[in-house]
Amino acid sequence: MLFFKDTTTLKKSDLLNKMSDFHCHLLPGVDDGIKVIEDTLKILSYYESLGISTVWMTPHVMEDIPNTTEKLKERFHYVLTQYNGPIKLHLAAEYMMDNEFSNRIDKKDFLPLGEDQDQVLVETSTFNGPRHMEDIFNRIKSAGFFPVLAHPERYTYMKKEDYLKWKNQDIKFQLNMPSLHGLYGKNEKEKAEWMLLNDMYDYYGTDTHTTRHIANTDLPFAEFEFKKKLLPHLEELIEKAI
């Protein structure tokens, strides 16, 4: 009897040469992500080999990592002077919805995500959200931006009814692709699959912080597995996010 595997990999699925990376920490030396430009260039070289064409660098901005917009722009300019490959590089940021971020909203002090510069990538603690989460989302909208919630499948305090609530309020969701492989855990994988099957995601990304799952391990990013039934939904997501 023949047994057919119900999973595939990013490499086998032929998704990679259509992909962008809308969430990663490749800007060196500014947060808990990549520390040195050499590792940034190593990852970008690996991305080139996969056919990835566009990368949005989204460094953390939070009370514990109080990056200024100007500092991040300066660091990004440095990366541009060091990288001469074919990948299109863009700068945005991933904002923790804390007091520091609240102060930014009135000033519209954002590094937005997306070609139209009108999306703001935000996150919360893994274990609990801000007390006035809905108010923060509304303030972002009032400032003329669309909130994009980073890796919602990783928030342990969120249930299915929470995701449905926020989608009904036009909050956008960004999938961490490694969640589908189970990199963050079984529950995170199951929630990511459910959200993807219900077409709840608007963006996707690697959330790469290190070279660990890129080019120098036994399980590089391209070999991450996911269920074959998710493939058409991933294809649709990639097309939608372009």
Side-chain angles (χ1 to χ4, degrees), residues 142-180:
S142 295
F145 297 88
F146 296 97
V148 180
L149 188 60
H151 43 68
E153 70 277 0
R154 296 185 61 190
Y155 301 133
T156 58
Y157 66 91
M158 281 196 177
K159 310 301 179 186
K160 289 183 178 180
E161 54 266 29
D162 297 309
Y163 300 122
L164 294 170
K165 169 187 174 181
W166 295 129
K167 287 306 292 184
N168 287 334
Q169 296 187 27
D170 296 323
I171 306 303
K172 299 187 177 185
F173 293 150
Q174 174 257 308
L175 164 69
N176 270 14
M177 298 288 282
S179 293
L180 300 176

Side-chain angles (χ1 to χ4, degrees), residues 106-152:
D106 293 334
K107 302 175 184 177
K108 299 185 181 181
D109 183 15
F110 304 130
L111 286 167
L113 182 74
E115 297 291 345
D116 293 332
Q117 296 286 284
D118 60 354
Q119 326 273 316
V120 179
L121 186 66
V122 295
E123 65 172 336
T124 79
S125 161
T126 303
F127 303 105
N128 50 60
R131 289 177 56 196
H132 305 293
M133 194 166 176
E134 186 167 1
D135 179 61
I136 296 173
F137 283 147
N138 288 334
R139 288 180 62 198
I140 295 171
K141 294 177 186 177
S142 295
F145 297 88
F146 296 97
V148 180
L149 188 60
H151 43 68

Side-chain angles (χ1 to χ4, degrees), residues 15-23 47 51-56 87-88 90 115 177 203-206 221 238 241-242:
L15 289 174
L16 287 164
N17 61 8
K18 305 173 185 177
M19 283 177 55
S20 300
D21 189 350
F22 288 98
H23 181 184
Y47 278 10
I52 294 174
S53 60
T54 305
V55 169
W56 286 84
I87 295 176
K88 297 178 182 178
H90 301 281
E115 297 291 345
M177 298 288 282
Y203 287 97
Y204 59 91
T206 65
F221 174 67
I238 289 170
I242 291 175

Side-chain angles (χ1 to χ4, degrees), residues 25-36 60 65 208-210:
H25 295 267
L26 302 191
L27 195 67
V30 297
D31 61 8
D32 61 343
I34 297 302
K35 301 304 180 187
V36 295
H60 286 294
I65 310 177
T208 298
H209 280 70
T210 73

Side-chain angles (χ1 to χ4, degrees), residues 5-24:
K5 199 171 185 180
D6 68 349
T7 62
T8 186
T9 67
L10 288 170
K11 186 175 182 179
K12 291 178 181 178
S13 69
D14 198 34
L15 289 174
L16 287 164
N17 61 8
K18 305 173 185 177
M19 283 177 55
S20 300
D21 189 350
F22 288 98
H23 181 184
C24 62

Side-chain angles (χ1 to χ4, degrees), residues 36-70:
V36 295
I37 186 65
E38 290 80 8
D39 283 345
T40 299
L41 299 178
K42 182 186 299 184
I43 293 171
L44 290 174
S45 177
Y46 178 64
Y47 278 10
E48 289 175 24
S49 73
L50 301 178
I52 294 174
S53 60
T54 305
V55 169
W56 286 84
M57 297 184 179
T58 54
H60 286 294
V61 178
M62 60 179 71
E63 291 175 332
D64 294 339
I65 310 177
N67 283 313
T68 66
T69 298
E70 288 307 312

